[in-house]
Amino acid sequence: MSARGDAMTIIAKEKHRLAYQTPDFVITQIDLDILLDENHTKVIAVSQVRREGNHKNSLVLDGEELILLSVRVDKKEATYRLENNQLHIDNVPDSFELTIETEINPAANSALEGLYKSGAAFCTQCEAEGFRRITYYLDRPDVLARFTTKITANKAAYPILLSNGNRVASGDNLDGSHWVMWSDPYPKPCYLFALVAGDFDVLKDTFTTKSGRTVSLELFVDKGNLNRSQHAMNSLKKSMAWDEQRFGLEYDLDIYMVVAVDFFNMGAMENKGLNVFNSKFVLANPESATDTDYFDIERVIGHEYFHNWTGNRITCRDWFQLSLKEGLTVFRDQEFSSDLGSRTINRIRNVKIIRGPQFAEDSGPMSHPIRPDVVMEMNNFYTLTVYEKGSEVIRMLHTILGETLFQKGMALYVSRHDGQAVTCDDFVQAMQDASGIDLTLFRRWYSQSGTPVLNITDEFDAVNQQYKLTVKQHTPPTKGQADKQALHIPLSVALYNKYGEYLGEQYDQVLNVTQEQQVFVFSDVADKPVVALLQDFSAPVRLEFTYEDQDLFLLIQHSKSAFIRWDAAQTLLNKYIRLNVERFQQNKELILPPSLFSVFAELLRDQTLDKSLVAEIFRIPSESSMAELFDDIDIDAIHAVKCFIENAIATQLHELFMESYQSNKTGAYQLIQSDIAKRDLVSVCLMYLAIHGNERDQHIILSHYQSADNMTDVLAAMQAAKQGELSIFAEMMLAFEAKWKTDGLVMDNWFRLQATSPSANCLSTVKSLLTHPSFSMQNPNRLRALIGTFSAANSYRFHAIDGSGYVFLGEILAQLNKSNPQVASRLITPLLQFKRFDTVRQGLMKQELQKLAGQPDLSRDLFEKVSRALAE
Ligand code: B3K
Ligand code: ZN
């Protein structure tokens, strides 16, 4: 692979944010003529090139995995040099037409970047730097060109030929091929280019924009899948309406197309007017998809649609600015989901991601600010930090400015920068200019990596009736950043009295923490209050505050914020997780406070609570999020404590789970909020019943499975049976496999169940499944479902003390290093944290990393992560 090389060449490729330079040349127009063929696709690119600034530099274009056929400058054969994946053309005029002919091999493209085959179809993925695998080009986001694309292909095999913009012409050739010409009126960076060719079923609809224009909506799915495409179409229409209502942003082209493909490295891609989607985020019907699948489809359809403004019309100047579009668009999709569904439940689920895997990333060898400073392989920076923490940073701005000023800032940002490629600083500047609020200090969130810690102590002065909070902030050092500065942290707090009564709005405030230490005083407080801290998780920080159990119980029972009720339960559980891990290590008996059972029982009995909230409270943190409570991870202790807590709750509240199961069981399937919440709670009840596991419990689980008319209920029963290691699990798995074995997306659930099995032979099962007919090493969804789940979501088995889990993952990564480095680079994550484990595991994990480091053809993707981890 020509983009790869030995360690030294790779190091030379490290790029720095501050080294940004404006391009020497721009391309204003590119006309592509693409003759599709499985192994010999021909690409003729005619570009209008213009020199920028006063210099005599050569034109240097990026290209990878290309066969160069010819280069012409103003129609004349040109001389050129090929050096390190770049095409150099010396002595070019200031303005000229450049014609480049290349040949590519889409069928051999297993990396799924550039033009490749997904099953029978051709499709593309160009972000971040995939366009250079289609033709030699100025592959950088600040070069914006108008594109026309003529696609020619065999008509019988590829009746549908798509690209960005509007379809302007088409025709048939005598040899059985046909062609379609597309023209995109909006100048765009090449990462937004897309091409799709294949034989699809199409679902058509229209949307009328607020200014009265009719937009054609077309959703392309594999033949036979139309009955699974309606929800995605509904989601698209909801997204378009929501962006008009909440952000005042209207769609700009006459057509919006979405294509679902089976082979895709990530979720979806926002190519202008032609989104390409992983079929996982398009296809759903009640029988084959869960409530979570439905939710995710709506969320991802929204996310890609919202990029049309935040990403496409206004794009990134360089890739270091990725969070400009991703953090903002994640914030927008979270708000969309929250406006359409439950704000609290959305917030809880997003916060779990930050506190779990994002905090882990923040403290590990790949730790980086939301706007990274050094990048080797850009694909490695589509991270939880850039996306999810990036969204938290936007959310903090929203909290500080309020909705009105935030929207004023958005409007200014859009009007000021429409059609441009800009920076995160430009965004913050627009927010500051529109609001009049000084954001100088706030900008540090863009440059500082790591998770800030807020250490809070309180004091009650009965004589003066004052309640004081002393807030200290510090951010532990991270890779490349030893010294940290104070950040602007919005800290939302509210006070309650000892009966759990809310003290009123003057005691419910967002405090602006801006210094290393600050004291905040509340006056006229009659008795020592109970404080709810970091309401709605108002900042992505770790909180240190010593709560008495009784105060947490009070917040769980009485807080007027549903989020705080959940969060207080988390804090209580975390307190006992920490304590019990220590007790386990000291060989002491594990304990829980007796009131936990009575307070939790009340929650189950309370008919007024959102069922999903109750479900979330009863979901004990996963072992990997428990790990985030500790600097040094004790896998065995964490596993024991998790089992202990779940067993204790299952035993103590057994009858209540039985009752709650019966009263929340839903009738015929409906995709409505109240039923979704009930199914959620039912799945938790089933899980506890399975852990308890007597004959009656087993009977309930089996009959739940047998009578289910939807995938959510089917999987709830199977998940429970697996967790309780019940004998009925094996039969369920066999029946499921027989029914779904030809449907990869549905089988992913089955692979995930296998991969998360608590059973001691889990790894050998996972290994044997590599040859299962439904599995494929070429399909990223299958890889993530089986291997990704085993190594990231089954910590106890993956971290087996004999190192077998590590060796297994190491071997898989060595294989994927060649075929699909991007996916390999995602799957390696659990190995990177080796420093936090005991010496035996550390040694074994390190051994696997070293083996990878010794691979002669290590991809840039893996090299960056392995070398950063080993350098720690
Ligand atoms: N922008 C794409 C992600 C591209 C990832 C490239 N490795 C999807 C999204 O965030 O909407
Ligand atoms: Zn995105």
Side-chain angles (χ1 to χ4, degrees):
M1 301 195 102
S2 47
R4 321 295 167 194
D6 63 21
M8 292 320 288
T9 23
I10 291 171
I11 287 168
K13 293 222 161 73
E14 203 171 68
K15 296 188 194 95
H16 293 257
R17 176 171 65 87
L18 295 175
Y20 173 81
Q21 286 185 328
T22 54
D24 283 346
F25 293 87
V26 292
I27 296 173
T28 52
Q29 169 82 34
I30 172 168
D31 300 302
L32 288 162
D33 186 355
I34 301 179
L35 291 97
L36 289 175
D37 179 90
E38 313 262 313
N39 299 104
H40 305 280
T41 288
K42 197 166 170 193
V43 179
I44 305 163
V46 181
S47 301
Q48 307 306 320
V49 188
R50 193 180 68 219
R51 187 185 301 274
E52 289 282 281
N54 197 6
H55 62 83
K56 290 269 170 285
N57 298 344
S58 309
L59 174 68
V60 183
L61 303 173
D62 309 296
E64 284 177 17
E65 309 280 322
L66 301 170
I67 300 172
L68 180 56
L69 302 177
S70 73
V71 180
R72 275 166 281 165
V73 169
D74 286 331
K75 302 198 167 34
K76 285 197 255 344
E77 241 10 84
T79 46
Y80 58 83
R81 287 173 288 131
L82 282 176
E83 276 170 29
N84 298 327
N85 287 321
Q86 288 186 314
L87 170 67
H88 296 244
I89 314 172
D90 304 327
N91 306 317
V92 291
D94 288 347
S95 181
F96 61 100
E97 182 179 282
L98 173 69
T99 307
I100 298 179
E101 285 186 37
T102 47
E103 190 187 294
I104 44 186
N105 185 349
N109 182 352
S110 60
L112 314 185
E113 268 187 285
L115 178 69
Y116 65 92
K117 292 292 308 272
S118 170
F122 283 97
C123 69
T124 55
Q125 172 53 36
C126 294
E127 186 177 3
E129 296 175 332
F131 192 72
R132 63 186 63 184
R133 289 162 174 255
I134 294 174
T135 185
Y136 285 95
Y137 198 70
L138 291 171
D139 190 355
R140 43 186 292 166
D142 57 352
V143 171
L144 274 60
R146 283 202 172 76
F147 279 66
T148 71
T149 310
K150 182 181 173 195
I151 312 167
T152 305
N154 179 281
K155 191 167 181 172
Y158 307 101
I160 292 171
L161 305 176
L162 310 172
S163 190
N164 319 84
N166 302 310
R167 198 173 191 265
V168 289
S170 60
D172 289 334
N173 299 319
L174 292 173
D175 62 356
S177 67
H178 70 143
W179 60 273
V180 177
M181 169 84 110
W182 292 84
S183 172
D184 183 357
Y186 292 94
K188 64 168 177 288
C190 63
Y191 82 85
L192 290 172
F193 168 79
L195 175 156
V196 173
D199 190 5
F200 301 100
D201 275 341
V202 54
L203 179 67
K204 292 191 181 178
D205 208 328
T206 58
F207 178 81
T208 308
T209 69
K210 62 175 180 171
S211 69
R213 279 184 315 106
T214 302
V215 180
S216 306
L217 309 178
E218 299 186 355
L219 184 59
F220 298 86
V221 295
D222 277 354
K223 287 266 170 200
N225 274 336
L226 270 186
N227 66 346
R228 295 193 194 183
S229 56
Q230 192 57 51
H231 179 67
M233 181 60 88
N234 297 347
S235 303
L236 177 58
K237 292 198 283 182
K238 285 182 191 167
S239 309
M240 296 177 88
W242 181 85
D243 214 13
E244 290 186 351
Q245 282 154 18
R246 176 92 187 259
F247 280 77
L249 296 171
E250 187 177 334
Y251 186 60
D252 51 4
L253 286 165
D254 297 333
I255 182 165
Y256 192 92
M257 296 171 285
V258 171
V259 186
V261 300
D262 289 331
F263 290 72
F264 206 64
N265 278 345
M266 58 288 154
M269 178 64 211
E270 70 264 26
N271 316 299
K272 184 77 188 186
L274 175 57
N275 288 186
V276 177
F277 267 66
N278 185 328
S279 52
K280 172 180 168 57
F281 294 113
V282 173
L283 302 177
N285 62 16
E287 210 202 347
S288 64
T290 62
D291 293 336
T292 307
D293 293 329
Y294 273 92
F295 173 84
D296 284 340
I297 288 169
E298 185 182 87
R299 171 178 68 81
V300 180
I301 289 270
H303 180 96
E304 305 312 329
Y305 175 73
F306 304 142
H307 267 315
N308 190 54
W309 278 98
T310 51
N312 300 4
R313 289 285 287 255
I314 305 173
T315 194
C316 301
R317 185 194 70 174
D318 55 76
W319 288 122
F320 298 99
Q321 316 296 329
L322 181 61
S323 203
L324 171 82
K325 73 176 179 84
E326 295 304 348
L328 179 55
T329 306
V330 171
F331 171 77
R332 276 152 55 68
D333 85 51
Q334 290 179 355
E335 283 301 292
F336 170 60
S337 300
S338 303
D339 283 348
L340 265 58
S342 159
R343 183 161 286 274
T344 303
I345 299 305
N346 273 293
R347 193 63 192 132
I348 288 173
R349 295 192 178 149
N350 293 328
V351 168
K352 280 161 78 168
I353 295 172
I354 296 282
R355 282 188 180 147
Q358 197 283 320
F359 278 5
E361 183 169 273
D362 243 355
S363 64
M366 279 298 289
S367 174
H368 54 277
I370 63 165
R371 181 187 56 200
D373 287 313
V374 194
V375 166
M376 225 180 265
E377 169 51 57
M378 191 54 215
N379 285 324
N380 280 342
F381 288 83
Y382 288 75
T383 57
L384 291 166
T385 301
V386 167
Y387 275 63
E388 308 299 324
K389 185 176 178 183
S391 163
E392 292 301 313
V393 170
I394 304 291
R395 187 170 295 284
M396 287 190 285
L397 271 177
H398 187 269
T399 303
I400 293 167
L401 270 63
E403 169 74 3
T404 308
L405 288 181
F406 183 86
Q407 289 298 349
K408 207 174 153 203
M410 277 300 298
L412 180 62
Y413 170 66
V414 168
S415 67
R416 200 182 259 180
H417 298 297
D418 188 13
Q420 298 175 1
V422 303
T423 64
C424 297
D425 269 330
D426 293 322
F427 178 80
V428 180
Q429 193 61 46
M431 286 289 158
Q432 171 162 319
D433 292 347
S435 67
I437 294 173
D438 182 1
L439 297 171
T440 315
L441 194 58
F442 188 83
R443 284 172 204 254
R444 288 181 183 166
W445 280 104
Y446 283 88
S447 47
Q448 198 156 285
S449 59
T451 308
V453 180
L454 277 189
N455 178 283
I456 304 181
T457 48
D458 67 344
E459 211 180 307
F460 179 64
D461 176 347
V463 178
N464 296 306
Q465 305 216 314
Q466 282 185 339
Y467 180 65
K468 247 194 236 173
L469 286 176
T470 303
V471 182
K472 293 184 197 158
Q473 63 160 303
H474 80 277
T475 305
T478 50
K479 168 127 196 112
Q481 281 190 355
D483 299 317
K484 303 285 186 180
Q485 294 173 299
L487 296 163
H488 181 174
I489 299 173
L491 171 63
S492 171
V493 303
L495 302 186
Y496 290 83
N497 68 16
K498 62 178 174 210
Y499 309 107
E501 286 159 355
Y502 178 64
L503 290 192
E505 278 179 9
Q506 73 270 38
Y507 300 102
D508 189 344
Q509 289 183 15
V510 178
L511 309 174
N512 282 299
V513 177
T514 53
Q515 295 157 25
E516 267 164 30
Q517 178 164 343
Q518 262 164 291
V519 179
F520 298 92
V521 183
F522 295 87
S523 338
D524 302 321
V525 185
D527 295 302
K528 184 169 197 282
V530 176
V531 63
L533 290 166
L534 205 66
Q535 299 190 98
D536 284 328
F537 196 62
S538 59
V541 299
R542 289 181 196 266
L543 192 62
E544 290 177 354
F545 180 79
T546 309
Y547 270 111
E548 296 299 329
D549 286 3
Q550 66 198 49
D551 292 348
L552 290 170
F553 285 127
L554 180 132
L555 290 174
I556 296 172
Q557 289 172 297
H558 302 293
S559 171
K560 86 187 234 306
S561 149
F563 179 87
I564 284 292
R565 298 184 76 165
W566 168 79
D567 204 24
Q570 292 286 299
T571 308
L572 183 82
L573 286 171
N574 289 346
K575 186 172 167 179
Y576 281 89
I577 290 164
R578 284 199 185 90
L579 178 78
N580 281 321
V581 161
E582 213 178 297
R583 292 179 70 92
F584 180 88
Q585 288 162 341
Q586 296 161 349
N587 259 323
K588 288 187 184 154
E589 192 196 347
L590 307 187
I591 52 167
L592 283 173
S595 324
L596 184 142
F597 303 107
S598 52
V599 170
F600 273 39
E602 268 319 300
L603 297 173
L604 267 183
R605 285 195 197 99
D606 189 337
Q607 293 305 316
T608 65
L609 287 176
D610 177 346
K611 312 286 180 195
S612 273
L613 177 72
V614 181
E616 283 299 345
I617 292 177
F618 273 89
R619 261 183 203 118
I620 306 308
S622 66
E623 288 171 41
S624 51
S625 42
M626 283 188 182
E628 283 318 295
L629 301 172
F630 305 92
D631 289 335
D632 299 321
I633 303 171
D634 183 337
I635 283 288
D636 304 293
I638 285 174
H639 181 68
V641 170
K642 173 142 171 94
C643 294
F644 163 73
I645 297 176
E646 285 178 342
N647 281 325
I649 294 177
T651 313
Q652 295 277 337
L653 305 184
H654 180 246
E655 281 312 306
L656 264 178
F657 286 124
M658 201 65 103
E659 281 166 33
S660 184
Y661 168 75
Q662 300 296 356
S663 59
N664 287 298
K665 212 167 144 352
T666 50
Y669 181 83
Q670 279 182 284
L671 189 70
I672 52 171
Q673 209 56 47
S674 53
D675 277 9
I676 293 171
K678 281 184 181 171
R679 283 190 286 272
D680 198 18
L681 181 54
V682 156
S683 73
V684 169
C685 293
L686 288 175
M687 210 269 294
Y688 282 108
L689 291 178
I691 290 173
H692 185 264
N694 68 18
E695 227 168 274
R696 200 166 135 232
D697 299 320
Q698 299 213 34
H699 176 75
I700 287 180
I701 292 162
L702 188 59
S703 78
H704 188 79
Y705 172 81
Q706 286 163 342
S707 62
D709 66 351
N710 65 84
M711 187 54 82
T712 308
D713 281 322
V714 168
L715 286 176
M718 293 177 80
Q719 180 76 32
K722 179 207 73 183
Q723 210 54 37
E725 298 193 67
L726 307 182
S727 55
I728 49 174
F729 180 59
E731 301 159 39
M732 292 172 162
M733 289 295 274
L734 277 175
F736 190 99
E737 182 189 12
K739 181 164 180 191
W740 295 108
K741 59 175 183 269
T742 57
D743 191 322
L745 277 185
V746 179
M747 282 300 281
D748 283 344
N749 295 299
W750 189 84
F751 286 123
R752 278 190 287 268
L753 284 164
Q754 300 279 19
T756 48
S757 162
S759 127
N761 61 10
C762 180
L763 175 58
S764 60
T765 309
V766 169
K767 281 184 185 165
S768 71
L769 292 174
L770 296 175
T771 54
H772 189 280
S774 310
F775 185 79
S776 152
M777 282 293 278
Q778 272 66 51
N779 187 302
N781 288 352
R782 295 309 90 75
L783 288 164
R784 283 185 285 258
L786 185 65
I787 297 156
T789 306
F790 172 71
S791 44
N794 196 350
S795 326
Y796 188 58
R797 293 299 168 202
F798 173 68
H799 290 284
I801 193 72
D802 62 359
S804 51
Y806 310 146
V807 174
F808 167 68
L809 184 59
E811 283 167 4
I812 297 282
L813 293 177
Q815 230 175 304
L816 290 176
N817 172 55
K818 298 195 183 84
S819 58
N820 191 333
Q822 234 186 94
V823 168
S825 191
R826 295 247 162 202
L827 295 181
I828 199 175
T829 308
L831 280 179
L832 302 178
Q833 303 275 359
F834 70 92
K835 271 268 145 88
R836 291 174 62 194
F837 290 84
D838 54 86
T839 45
V840 177
R841 287 183 172 95
Q842 255 193 48
L844 293 164
M845 291 165 97
K846 214 168 151 179
Q847 222 167 51
E848 291 312 310
L849 291 172
Q850 278 159 344
K851 273 194 229 162
L852 284 170
Q855 290 265 329
D857 54 354
L858 192 63
S859 61
R860 194 164 54 217
D861 314 57
L862 282 182
F863 175 81
E864 181 167 41
K865 291 193 176 175
V866 169
S867 57
R868 277 176 75 144
L870 289 174
E872 279 229 303

